[in-house]
Each structure stands twice: as C-alpha cells, then as structure tokens.
Amino acid sequence: QVQLVESGGGLVQAGGSLRLSCEASGRTFSTYAMGWFRQAPGKEREFVAAISRGGTSRQYADSVKGRFTISRDNAKNTVYLQMDSLKPEDTAVYYCAGAPRISDQQKGYDYWGQGTQVTVSS
C-alpha cells in the first residue's frame, strides 16, 4: 500500500508562484507514474500534470502548460508541482496520485493523497 501526503499549498497573489510537494511511503515509489489533479469548489476534479516513473515523460493540461512543471526525486520518494504565473482560476484543492503508467485519466490512478489547498487572489 502506498500513502501520499501533499504539502506546500497556501495563499498567493496572481502572478506568483508555489511549489507543491507529495511524499510517498514505501520503496516502490519509482515504479509508479505520478500525477496531479485539482478540484475547485463546485467543480469536478480535473487533470493537471503527470510524470512517468523515470521522469523522462511528462503530460500537462492545456490550461497549465507553460506555467506548471511536474518533477520527481525518486531518491526522496517525492513528486513536485512547480506553479508559476498563477491565476485566480488555479484556485483549488490539489491532489497527487500514483498510477502504474502515465495517464491523464483519473481512473488510471490507484493511490491518492489528502489534498492541499491553493488559493490565488487577484
């Protein structure tokens, strides 16, 4: 069983930056692709970014492409989401998740963190 714990959320002004972290338990982290999803109030959860198990392949939602960067440090069992040029519409609870292979689909992910709140003010 894999447990995921997100951190790094908070309040930031539009145009600012945040870096989210997600630390995974266990020694099998490097065998999982990882993704970030987000859910705004009253909205469905949506895909944000994903990274392959080796970190060589990445996927991004069109809404964040060029602004967000997903990365991982397998030695630290951690995946990151660097968020730059933040916009108010980025406000949401952000979740990290693990999958057997890289995917932009929620159903492809087997493990989920508890989420961390990101609020972008204008």
Side-chain angles (χ1 to χ4, degrees):
Q1 185 175 355
V2 176
Q3 292 184 321
L4 306 174
V5 180
E6 302 99 331
S7 62
L11 175 64
V12 65
Q13 289 196 96
S17 298
L18 283 175
R19 188 178 77 158
L20 306 183
S21 298
C22 174
E23 185 175 4
S25 65
R27 295 181 178 178
T28 61
F29 176 74
S30 64
T31 70
Y32 286 87
M34 298 295 296
W36 287 95
F37 292 77
R38 66 187 183 186
Q39 187 168 25
K43 304 291 186 179
E44 295 296 314
R45 188 174 298 178
E46 66 175 350
F47 170 76
V48 176
I51 188 167
S52 62
R53 64 182 185 177
T56 59
S57 181
R58 294 170 171 83
Q59 296 179 357
Y60 296 96
D62 288 342
S63 60
V64 306
K65 195 171 298 181
R67 300 189 298 121
F68 290 11
T69 304
I70 188 170
S71 62
R72 67 191 297 161
D73 185 341
N74 287 346
K76 296 183 180 296
N77 282 7
T78 302
V79 62
Y80 305 95
L81 185 67
Q82 178 67 43
M83 305 185 294
D84 298 320
S85 301
L86 282 161
K87 305 174 180 179
E89 50 262 45
D90 295 318
T91 295
V93 176
Y94 283 70
Y95 300 88
C96 68
R101 57 192 60 83
I102 190 169
S103 174
D104 62 359
Q105 301 296 307
Q106 292 185 58
K107 67 179 182 179
Y109 290 81
D110 299 319
Y111 304 100
W112 294 82
Q114 83 289 346
T116 186
Q117 176 71 47
V118 171
T119 303
V120 184
S121 65
S122 59

